[in-house]
Structure formats: C-alpha cells, structure tokens
Amino acid sequence: MSNAAIAVRRTGAISRGVGVTTQVYAEKAQNAEIWDVEGRRYIDFAAGIAVVNTGHRHPKVIAAVKDQLDRFTHTCHQVVPYESYVRLAERLNQIVPGDFVKKTVFVTTGAEAVENAVKIARAATGRSAVIAFTGGFHGRTFMGMTLTGKVAPYKTGFGAMMPDVFHVPFPIELHGQTVEASLGVLDKLFKADVDPTRVAAFIIEPVQGEGGFYDVPKAFMEKLREIADQHGILLIADEVQTGFCRTGKLFAMEHYGVAADITTMAKGLGGGFPIAAVTGRADIMDAPVAGGLGGTYGGNPIGVAAANAVLDVIEAEGLSERAVSLGNRLKQRLQSLREAVPQIADIRGPGFMNAVELNIPATGTPNPDFTNRVREKALEKGLIVLTCGVYGNVIRFLAPLTIEDDVFSEALAILEATLRECAAEV
Ligand code: PMP
C-alpha cells in the first residue's frame, strides 16, 4: 500500500469539504512518533491538533480503555448511567479554574461543547445574544461556525449564520489592534447593535488556536470579566485547544487571575478518544431543564475511561512543568535563528502552545507561501507541523508533552535545518 494510491482513492471517496494537510497515511503511532503505510517515520508536532498531549497510546490510557472494553462499551448515560462519568465530572469540577461550586456535562466534540455552553448560557440568563472575537475558532456546527471569526473556509457557501452573534476585533498588538481599540469597538457595539442586557455571553479562547496562537492580553481579559459582571453577561472560556497543560498550566485561564463562568473542553481531555465537557457554575449549569442537554454518545464509557486516565497521567508526570521546559527550549532555538531567517516576525506562546509568525522581510506583510514551504520541507524531513492564522503565515507547534528528550532534540534540529534552507532559497 502506498500513500499515493490511497490519496487517489481518498479523492474519489471522500467529500472535498474534508481538507487534509498531509498525504501521509498513518499505520501506527507511539508517543510522539507516527509511522505511515510505507514504513516512514515522522515526529509529530501536531498531536492530532493538541489532542494527544499525553502522547499517542499512553500505556496508562490504553490500559484504562482496554479494561473498560472488557466491561461495557455503551449503555447511554441517559439510560443506564455509570460511576466513572460521575467521578470524571467531580474531578473536572475540582480542577477547572473558578473558586465556586461547579457542575459538568459530557458531550463528544469541541464544537458540541461550544453549542452546549451557549445553550446553557441562554437558559441561565434568558438572553440570546453572544459576543465572540475575530480570528476565533469554535467549531464547524452551526453555532460553532457562526461564532468562528473567520469566513473562509469555515462559512463559505453555508448560507445565513445563526442570529444574534457579534464579533469584536481580537486585540493583537503585533497587528496594531490594541486592547483600548477592541474595548472601544465593544462599547460601540453596545450602543449601535445590541443592548448589553440582551447579551447572554462572551466566548473567548484564552489563546487563539486556529486563529494564530495569540494570547488574550491580561488587561483585556480582566476588563471583559468586569464588563460581564457589570451587565450580567456570562464569560465562556473555550479551552478546547488550550486545556490540559498545553499552555504550561492545566487550563490557560489560570494565567489570568479571573475565572470564566463556563469552560469548554475537548481534545486533550480524552488523550485520543472522543470526549468533550462543559463545566461551570453549578447554578448556571442547572438552568436547562432535564433532558435539555446530553446526547446518545455524550460521556461514552470509553472516552470517560480515557479521560480519567489522562488526568492521572497529567498529575503523575507533571505535564504542565514539562510544557514550560519544552516550550522554552523551542522558543530559544527559534530565537537563535532570527538573523539567519529574517522572515521570522514573532516567536510566542505560553508553555508549549508555541508559534512562529513569518512575514516578507522587506514589507513586513504576511508570508503564507514561505510558511507553507516550511511546513512541506519539514514534512519531507520527517517532522509534522501545522500552520494557522487568519493570513496562513503562522507555524504552530503542538508536540505531545510526553515527547522523549532525544526525539525532541531531533525535531528541533529538523526545524532549524528546514528554516535555514527555506530562508536560503528566497
Ligand atoms: N474550539 C476550539 C478553541 C478549537 O480549537 C476547536 C478545534 N480546533 C473547536 C472548538 C472544535 O472542536 P472539534 O473539532 O472537536 O469540534
């Protein structure tokens, strides 16, 4: 079997709407490495988009899942519930930031977590409007794509979006969008389009993921919390990509000193198995009537078993500290290349949620061609990296936090060689 042969079959069989960034067809994976159907090995700096923070097939996660497989795989929690679901909820209620009593609901994907967070916020406030941010990403369902602050490709061709959703410019100093300017737009929005007493929630990623790995300035998050409190608006932190040690804390909101009322989680929670969660203030979470939340597969026993094991691994292996030390090594290496690679415009990101932004040196404008070249050349050399950003000029780094030191060093060497070669080609 070859990658090329499967790629041809894929084109014939799969909707064009499902994009792929590589034509490397996976055969097996272990920790931070993936082998394709041709036997070629890759170092995985994508982690299935921040999912396998605990590595591919972590032995403790696999053992927990195997154990669950031998007992039962599905009863539907709404029909015949199970203790592991309750235990996982109790654990999330403890660890999700916020010094108040919390409750949780489990669903299956990040987009579904976002949908449910908005439903809960609407039920709790009796209001319908939601304010999101440009460049934000919240999923591909109807509310998810409406909240997403990027048209192409997420909204292209899909018609009218959900009503009562507004976007405020996400503050990015690097692009000249200051905190004050964004707050000014919010103020105008309240005057021109939507009375704050009609707004159910703000939804924000503490560090934008798909949008380009920009973190919310602390002053902005604090102000958002203040405005929310002033008007009875709820704050939803979308931690689908930032959660579970990626930013060097269990949750990215821990960097801010203010808490969200509702937190959405997915990806890293299941360590490679589909499970997502919404955790929030108990009174808010109890607003929907019985039967208003849930779903056939929500909190499926396999996903729950994996997630309980993921939380054990995070504790046992100190993955937040590991994220900080790996991220620092990566950022230092990138800094050392600034002279040789003048395209590097910015190196950033807390913990191991890191990115490098690449511009055309002469003009200081985004350089998506160079960015794609780096991604392709890294892949040729055996390193899988992803791009992101509204202008497609950001490379993001999301390796498993359990990556072995020697594999990590090897990846940094590939990255350095790739950047140097790409810069020399120009
Ligand atoms: N929110 C954020 C912040 C995300 O990064 C993503 C996925 N990239 C989603 C929501 C949607 O998650 P899913 O793809 O599991 O639906």
Side-chain angles (χ1 to χ4, degrees):
M1 232 186 320
S2 73
N3 288 313
I6 305 173
V8 170
R9 284 171 48 211
R10 185 186 182 283
T11 308
I14 309 292
S15 164
R16 187 184 67 147
V18 184
V20 281
T21 40
T22 75
Q23 290 293 347
V24 171
Y25 288 82
E27 178 68 24
K28 65 172 181 165
Q30 188 60 43
N31 201 6
E33 293 162 280
I34 297 179
W35 288 263
D36 73 5
V37 289
E38 296 173 9
R40 229 195 126 191
R41 166 189 172 267
Y42 295 85
I43 301 174
D44 184 11
F45 261 37
I49 320 189
V51 167
V52 289
N53 292 355
T54 43
H56 290 279
R57 303 180 65 257
H58 191 289
K60 284 190 183 154
V61 176
I62 295 299
V65 166
K66 281 188 174 159
D67 178 60
Q68 185 60 48
L69 280 174
D70 288 339
R71 290 184 298 119
F72 60 97
T73 63
H74 181 80
T75 58
C76 185
H77 188 265
Q78 283 145 240
V79 182
V80 179
Y82 27 94
E83 186 271 340
S84 56
Y85 184 113
V86 179
R87 183 161 23 104
L88 184 60
E90 288 169 344
R91 295 178 81 176
L92 290 182
N93 294 341
Q94 283 298 320
I95 62 177
V96 167
D99 194 12
F100 40 78
V101 182
K102 290 173 225 116
K103 287 194 175 185
T104 290
V105 57
F106 292 112
V107 287
T108 313
T109 65
E112 230 189 319
V114 167
E115 294 284 329
N116 280 280
V118 172
K119 280 171 64 176
I120 293 163
R122 283 182 165 189
T125 58
R127 308 170 176 187
S128 62
V130 185
I131 296 176
F133 294 87
T134 58
F137 184 84
H138 300 288
R140 290 181 172 84
T141 52
F142 251 99
M143 187 46 97
M145 81 170 158
T146 303
L147 293 169
T148 291
K150 188 179 177 200
V151 174
Y154 307 119
K155 309 190 195 197
T156 307
F158 296 130
M161 296 291 118
M162 297 291 285
D164 248 359
V165 171
F166 302 89
H167 287 93
V168 167
F170 187 90
I172 304 174
E173 295 273 350
L174 183 69
H175 298 173
Q177 182 67 35
T178 64
V179 166
E180 292 71 30
S182 288
L183 289 171
V185 174
L186 179 60
D187 196 46
K188 285 200 181 70
L189 186 74
F190 284 157
K191 293 205 166 51
D193 288 316
V194 58
D195 192 283
T197 59
R198 276 211 324 103
V199 179
F202 292 116
I203 182 165
I204 193 159
E205 298 161 87
V207 184
Q208 283 197 334
E210 309 300 306
F213 279 33
Y214 302 102
D215 50 350
V216 175
K218 198 160 184 285
F220 190 77
M221 191 66 92
E222 286 166 359
K223 196 72 194 164
L224 214 52
R225 181 70 266 179
E226 200 182 303
I227 296 167
D229 289 339
Q230 192 185 341
H231 298 291
I233 299 169
L234 301 179
L235 181 60
I236 304 172
D238 185 347
E239 294 247 21
V240 166
Q241 191 155 156
T242 50
F244 304 100
C245 307
R246 181 49 60 187
T247 70
K249 303 264 187 203
L250 194 47
F251 293 99
M253 283 304 284
E254 291 170 44
H255 294 286
Y256 290 96
V258 292
D261 302 293
I262 301 175
T263 300
T264 55
M265 295 153 270
K267 293 187 186 280
L269 172 62
F273 293 86
I275 181 161
V278 184
T279 298
R281 286 182 189 275
D283 54 331
I284 292 171
M285 294 300 291
D286 274 340
V289 298
L293 304 178
T296 307
Y297 289 111
N300 170 274
I302 306 294
V304 168
N308 271 314
V310 161
L311 296 184
D312 293 342
V313 170
I314 283 174
E315 274 171 38
E317 300 187 17
L319 292 187
S320 286
E321 295 73 29
R322 180 82 179 142
V324 172
S325 80
L326 290 169
N328 284 344
R329 276 174 68 190
L330 171 63
K331 285 181 278 187
Q332 272 160 20
R333 188 67 165 257
L334 289 166
Q335 290 292 2
S336 74
L337 293 171
R338 278 198 110 126
E339 213 168 299
V341 187
Q343 288 81 3
I344 296 178
D346 193 35
I347 297 158
R348 61 172 172 267
F352 199 172
M353 187 156 180
N354 304 139
V356 59
E357 183 154 337
L358 301 163
N359 283 351
I360 298 166
T363 57
T365 51
N367 201 342
D369 294 339
F370 185 82
T371 309
N372 271 324
R373 187 75 199 108
V374 170
R375 182 179 55 76
E376 280 162 14
K377 199 181 265 289
L379 188 67
E380 282 163 23
K381 292 178 184 292
L383 177 67
I384 298 170
V385 293
L386 293 169
T387 59
C388 63
V390 176
Y391 307 106
N393 67 327
V394 179
I395 303 257
R396 54 175 155 170
F397 306 101
L398 291 164
L401 305 175
T402 48
I403 188 169
E404 299 88 346
D405 275 325
D406 56 337
V407 179
F408 186 62
S409 300
E410 191 187 337
L412 292 188
I414 295 175
L415 185 63
E416 172 165 350
T418 301
L419 284 164
R420 282 184 187 279
E421 283 172 35
C422 288
E425 277 170 11
V426 180

